[in-house]
Amino acid sequence: MPERRTVALVTLGCARNEVDSEELAGRLEADGWQLVEDAADADVAVVNTCGFVEAAKKDSVDALLEANDLKEHGRTQAVVAVGCMAERYGKELAEALPEADGVLGFDDYTDISDRLQTILSGGIHAAHTPRDRRKLLPISPAERQEAGASVALPGHGPAEAPEEGPGDLPEGVAPASGPRAPLRRRLDGSPVASVKLASGCDRRCTFCAIPSFRGSFISRRPSDVLNETRWLAEQGVKEIMLVSENNTSYGKDLGDIRLLESLLPELAGVDGIERVRVSYLQPAEMRPGLIDVLTSTPKVAPYFDLSFQHSAPDVLRAMRRFGDTDRFLELLDTIRSKAPQAGVRSNFIVGFPGESEGDLAELERFLNHARLDAIGVFGYSDEEGTEAATYGNKLPEDLVAERLARVSRLAEELVSQRAEERVGETVQVLVESVDEEEGVYGRAAHQAPETDGQVLLTSGEGLSVGRFVEAKVIGTEGVDLVAEPLFEGSLACSEEAGR
């Protein structure tokens, strides 16, 4: 019996990329490939790249070069680039990085097994010529679902569904539950998993190139999202995080812009799922009904990942975005009036072309009043193909760096203060790691994976990964919290002692 072909997936970038990697893993394992964790043990190392900002692109190139080094010392015979950077640059990346044996775009995902086999066998699969993926779907959202059946959309399954089902699948591979539902194979045993709600984006922010290589916005059908969530629950997942480029637009191409409001309670009702989190919300698209569902539905985290980007009106308009400091603060007041413990995070760009000292002061005013739990700050840099890259009123690089350092210091101070405000609160913590030396760590409802800090529990007695525990916050370590578990037994003892 021939030895099975082995493949390792190395994922960089956002949670959407992580879902795409698990889709590729499902396709590959269903076609007979053996998944291995370490690229050194794989015949083919597949690097799922990020093409968002310069630093992420550099990380992607470094990962490809590191994987290429394994060809001299390990089992690895081929290194293949997939993901956003591969889609965005195609032939250009292949020519600039000959160490990559293949550069595959999103259109190759359906046939990923054949593509890798061709490359592994010494053949050549030509890198694609990049194209503006916004032009692949109709301008009208109402016409996209039907047209989308012939377009490769990561996270939406095969472009053309086979007449017959997928047949017998290996254990641990999610079956395709509908014509646009992808195969999926989990790549880790974490109790939290992301679920793609949609792909693409219709917004035209002047600093962002994502729509050009991710395409126009198209929703997944609620039945596919529900079935995938049920499967994840069967795999031991306790928390799902809904991801897309813009979750507030979900359903607009399905005829119901309020579809998320009805879907969330259904997801929260899936057996085994204890927490549902929604990420990537646009402030200008927040609806009163959506705020109500996010703040009042059992098992739905009152968590608001709001993409503010700035708060000075002139800068926001130059970004082709809406709002201002007072409107954003009013939105936060509305959220906290309904859920005082709600978590809020956001990202901001400083040094945008034309940003004045007064604009920066306005941003600082917003940050000082917003009481955000997590803040990401980025210095502006030109992104190829974006409108902002053509602007003439650019700030000097040293001034951008100075403003980045200034706002970053403020952000670090403010998120630490916000954490201190939570001392005394009772939080529901999902345990994610238990280690005798390092301790027990988890996350509360206001903390998303990898971005918003974590909770150190003072006792790990009886705790295991995947368990939810009620705990009282007794201290902080920067943005992180320190909390004491409130076990039923300890509560009973406390009550007895008080009599």
Side-chain angles (χ1 to χ4, degrees):
M1 183 176 178
E3 187 175 4
R4 292 183 70 187
R5 304 162 295 178
T6 56
V7 59
L9 285 145
V10 180
T11 307
L12 294 95
C14 65
R16 300 184 295 276
N17 253 18
E18 293 172 4
V19 176
D20 290 348
S21 285
E22 294 196 350
E23 177 187 339
L24 292 174
R27 292 178 184 277
L28 289 166
E29 190 162 76
D31 203 46
W33 290 77
Q34 180 180 349
L35 298 170
V36 295
E37 187 174 341
D38 192 338
D41 299 326
D43 296 319
V44 183
V46 177
V47 180
N48 192 349
T49 61
C50 178
F52 181 38
V53 293
E54 206 59 43
K57 286 182 275 190
K58 181 181 183 303
D59 289 344
S60 295
V61 170
D62 289 345
L64 287 164
L65 293 174
E66 183 178 336
N68 183 68
D69 290 341
L70 298 175
K71 289 192 289 187
E72 297 182 10
H73 309 292
R75 172 172 176 162
T76 308
Q77 301 174 50
V79 175
V80 175
V82 300
C84 291
M85 189 176 180
E87 173 64 37
R88 184 177 181 183
Y89 294 104
K91 288 183 177 180
E92 182 181 343
L93 177 62
E95 293 170 359
L97 197 70
E99 292 86 353
D101 299 285
V103 176
L104 306 181
F106 297 149
D107 292 332
D108 293 305
Y109 281 21
T110 301
D111 301 312
I112 186 67
S113 178
D114 290 342
R115 299 287 187 265
L116 295 190
Q117 184 58 57
T118 295
I119 294 168
L120 184 59
S121 301
I124 297 175
H125 180 73
H128 73 106
T129 300
R131 53 181 173 168
D132 189 339
R133 296 190 73 87
R134 291 173 293 191
K135 298 179 180 179
L136 301 182
L137 294 172
I139 294 177
S140 170
E143 299 174 3
R144 289 180 188 167
Q145 287 292 322
E146 184 175 351
S150 60
V151 177
L153 300 168
H156 294 246
E160 296 181 3
E163 294 182 2
E164 299 180 358
D168 293 334
L169 294 171
E171 183 179 352
V173 175
S177 57
R180 301 288 290 165
L183 298 177
R184 182 169 180 176
R185 174 68 157 85
R186 297 220 66 205
L187 293 174
D188 62 39
S190 170
V192 60
S194 295
V195 176
K196 192 171 287 189
L197 198 59
S199 63
C201 185
D202 288 341
R203 301 185 70 87
R204 294 295 179 262
C205 302
T206 59
F207 56 83
C208 183
I210 288 176
S212 66
F213 57 85
R214 276 287 185 178
S216 298
F217 185 90
I218 184 166
S219 305
R220 293 183 65 198
R221 293 193 175 275
S223 58
D224 288 342
V225 177
L226 276 165
N227 285 333
E228 187 170 333
T229 298
R230 293 186 183 106
W231 175 79
L232 287 168
E234 292 171 358
Q235 305 301 305
V237 169
K238 299 299 181 183
E239 175 183 329
I240 62 165
M241 183 168 72
L242 300 178
V243 299
S244 76
E245 278 72 22
N246 178 10
N247 282 331
T248 34
S249 284
Y250 180 68
K252 71 176 185 179
D253 52 322
L254 294 171
D256 185 1
I257 190 60
R258 295 176 176 82
L259 194 55
L260 184 56
E261 286 93 307
S262 58
L263 177 60
L264 284 172
E266 292 189 70
L267 292 170
V270 171
D271 288 343
I273 297 298
E274 298 297 330
R275 180 187 286 162
V276 178
R277 184 184 304 279
V278 184
S279 61
Y280 305 115
L281 299 168
Q282 288 292 338
E285 298 180 32
M286 289 301 296
R287 307 174 290 275
L290 180 56
I291 294 174
D292 287 342
V293 171
L294 287 169
T295 55
S296 65
T297 307
K299 296 187 178 181
V300 173
Y303 175 79
F304 293 81
D305 177 9
L306 293 164
S307 178
F308 290 122
Q309 300 300 347
H310 212 283
S311 73
D314 289 345
V315 176
L316 287 168
R317 301 308 172 267
M319 291 177 170
R320 293 199 189 282
R321 296 180 67 84
F322 305 94
D324 54 47
T325 295
D326 293 334
R327 290 183 187 180
F328 291 163
L329 291 176
E330 183 180 347
L331 172 60
L332 295 177
D333 286 343
T334 298
I335 290 169
R336 289 175 175 137
S337 70
K338 297 175 181 295
Q341 291 187 343
V344 186
R345 81 166 325 274
S346 192
N347 294 323
F348 300 89
I349 298 173
V350 297
F352 193 79
E355 180 190 62
S356 67
E357 183 63 35
D359 293 328
L360 190 68
E362 184 68 1
L363 173 59
E364 291 173 325
R365 180 171 81 89
F366 172 69
L367 292 174
N368 275 300
H369 288 86
R371 297 171 56 228
L372 302 178
D373 291 279
I375 301 171
V377 186
F378 301 89
Y380 173 82
S381 62
D382 285 340
E383 271 299 305
E384 181 184 350
T386 62
E387 182 179 346
T390 68
Y391 289 175
N393 49 349
K394 304 282 176 57
L395 275 61
E397 289 186 9
D398 58 346
L399 180 57
V400 174
E402 178 186 321
R403 291 185 176 183
L404 173 61
R406 169 177 157 184
V407 177
S408 295
R409 287 193 299 270
L410 175 63
E412 184 175 355
E413 178 183 343
L414 291 173
V415 296
S416 295
Q417 291 177 6
R418 178 65 182 127
E420 290 171 1
E421 290 179 19
R422 292 192 178 275
V423 173
E425 288 185 1
T426 298
V427 293
Q428 299 292 327
V429 179
L430 171 60
V431 177
E432 292 188 309
S433 66
V434 178
D435 187 279
E436 290 185 3
E437 295 183 2
E438 297 184 3
V440 180
Y441 285 90
R443 288 178 299 102
H446 69 280
Q447 298 168 316
E450 300 180 5
T451 60
D452 302 341
Q454 55 190 348
V455 179
L456 170 63
L457 294 170
T458 58
S459 172
E461 182 182 355
L463 296 181
S464 57
V465 172
R467 178 176 171 182
F468 275 85
V469 59
E470 191 174 61
K472 182 178 181 179
V473 180
I474 60 173
T476 65
E477 295 179 358
V479 70
D480 298 331
L481 304 181
V482 180
E484 181 180 22
L486 301 177
F487 297 115
E488 292 182 5
S490 63
L491 285 174
C493 291
S494 297
E495 292 173 357
E496 186 68 26
R499 290 175 184 171

